[in-house]
């Protein structure tokens, strides 16, 4: 499920993005010479299901992923964790989870400006 909060096309440095997202509780799981991926874990207490909010950014300027590399963000998306290590991006996301995700992302977006 795509979460449209206005991230698409925003540009920032890797250093700034790392600082803001890591402070917000995200973890940078994947990175290479072309992109970085950050995840935030959300748990639905009612169903005991785990969801992951994912933010991806792609390199637009810079040779490698150093602090000065400029990244362009995509709209975040959310998926339900499948045991042992899969994610279902087509799963129904409870409104409490999507609202918590939007709140988290809006907080991050405010800091990116």
């Amino acid at each position: 499920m795509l979460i449209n909060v206005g991230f698409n096309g925003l540009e920032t440095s890797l250093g700034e993005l790392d600082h803001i997202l890591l402070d917000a509780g995200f973890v940078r799981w994947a990175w290479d010479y072309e992109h970085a991926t950050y995840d935030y874990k959300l748990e639905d207490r009612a169903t005991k299901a785990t969801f992951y909010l994912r933010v991806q950014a792609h390199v637009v300027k810079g040779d490698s992923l150093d602090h000065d590399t400029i990244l362009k963000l995509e709209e975040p998306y959310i998926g339900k964790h499948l045991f042992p290590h899969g994610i279902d991006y087509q799963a129904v996301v409870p409104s409490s989870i999507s609202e918590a995700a939007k709140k988290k992302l809006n907080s991050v977006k405010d800091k990116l400006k």
Side-chain angles (χ1 to χ4, degrees):
M1 172 180 166
L2 200 63
I3 309 239
N4 189 353
V5 292
F7 271 35
N8 196 38
L10 289 178
E11 292 186 10
T12 187
S13 70
L14 176 64
E16 180 181 22
L17 191 60
D18 269 352
H19 176 73
I20 291 169
L21 289 177
L22 297 176
D23 279 354
F26 284 79
V27 175
R28 182 163 42 122
W29 286 113
W31 64 93
D32 61 25
Y33 295 107
E34 297 178 5
H35 80 284
T37 301
Y38 301 82
D39 287 338
Y40 182 79
K41 184 178 180 179
L42 296 157
E43 295 186 27
D44 182 12
R45 293 180 187 175
T47 64
K48 307 287 190 229
T50 300
F51 293 84
Y52 285 96
L53 175 60
R54 178 163 282 179
V55 174
Q56 287 193 311
H58 295 274
V59 174
V60 292
K61 183 179 177 186
D63 293 331
S64 63
L65 285 178
D66 61 31
H67 281 35
D68 296 330
T69 298
I70 302 299
L71 302 171
K72 182 184 284 188
L73 280 76
E74 296 178 2
E75 285 301 338
Y77 50 96
I78 191 167
K80 182 179 180 182
H81 177 257
L82 300 174
F83 183 81
H85 37 58
I87 297 182
D88 179 2
Y89 293 108
Q90 305 303 317
V92 175
V93 177
S95 61
S96 61
I97 296 295
S98 63
E99 289 304 315
K102 286 178 186 174
K103 184 177 178 180
K104 176 65 72 175
L105 293 169
N106 283 323
S107 172
V108 166
K109 186 178 173 190
D110 289 345
K111 293 174 184 171
L112 285 170
K113 292 185 175 184

